[in-house]
Amino acid sequence: GAVKATERERRQVLSRSSRSVDAAIAVVATAAVTMAAAREAQPPLVLPGLVLTTAPLAFRRRCPASVFCVMLAAVMATNSRSTTVTFAAVIFAAYSAVVYSRFRRMAVTSVFTGAIIVTAIFPNTTPPVPARFTALLILLPTVAVAIVMRGWGQRAGESAERLRHAEAGHE
């Protein structure tokens, strides 16, 4: 009983901290988009659409695929007003949809379908990222994939080692 209670408490603390982190990310991103809109004197009716390009990140772990779809629709609706923050927020939402969704196939399908739709509707769209960040856009995903692959390799090595020990113990 005590072990189960401790595990439950640990999950609740992680969940609470995760929600706080997600809310903070959403607040910062939404504030950045809102300030950019204020500087550019956007019409008042545009602001709700711009808020929908970032604010749903607060729920990225609870309903990740829905968050991605809402944010993608908002970015498409406010396309001429996209910023680096909105671009990054949608990429982050796509990542969250694939990583956190209980329905992984549906999430991957949603992200893939969203990419096709955006490509079809906006064929000449490039992300609003300064050219000096091109190397980062290439190297950061490369490093992320490398880290994941290294982790898988380590886990596979550890599993093989456990299997060898189990076989030796069995003999």
Side-chain angles (χ1 to χ4, degrees):
V3 173
K4 286 184 181 181
T6 304
E7 178 65 20
R8 194 172 336 125
E9 290 169 5
R10 187 183 66 77
R11 278 186 288 183
Q12 287 175 346
V13 169
L14 288 174
S15 179
R16 201 174 300 130
S17 65
S18 296
R19 285 192 304 252
S20 298
V21 167
D22 292 347
I25 290 168
V27 166
V28 169
T30 304
V33 168
T34 304
M35 287 188 287
R39 276 194 307 267
E40 295 176 12
Q42 297 291 342
L45 294 178
V46 172
L47 191 57
L50 290 174
V51 167
L52 283 176
T53 65
T54 54
L57 285 175
F59 304 100
R60 73 183 184 92
R61 293 182 220 222
R62 284 188 232 155
C63 40
S66 299
V67 164
F68 169 72
C69 291
V70 166
M71 290 175 62
L72 182 64
V75 167
M76 288 175 21
T78 61
N79 179 49
S80 63
R81 293 161 178 91
S82 290
T83 66
T84 303
V85 174
T86 56
F87 175 74
V90 169
I91 298 297
F92 191 47
Y95 162 83
S96 297
V98 173
V99 169
Y100 296 113
S101 181
R102 291 181 308 191
F103 309 104
R104 182 109 0 135
R105 283 189 184 140
M106 190 235 358
V108 170
T109 301
S110 297
V111 170
F112 185 69
T113 303
I116 291 171
I117 291 169
V118 168
T119 302
I121 294 174
F122 308 109
N124 298 323
T125 300
T126 56
V129 177
R132 68 176 179 242
F133 293 124
T134 302
L136 287 176
L137 287 176
I138 294 168
L139 293 175
L140 288 178
T142 302
V143 169
V145 169
I147 290 169
V148 168
M149 295 304 291
R150 181 179 175 156
W152 281 344
Q154 286 175 339
R155 282 193 293 276
E158 292 167 0
S159 293
E161 186 62 30
R162 281 194 305 271
L163 180 60
R164 279 193 291 276
H165 283 293
E167 287 174 345
H170 179 69
E171 289 176 6

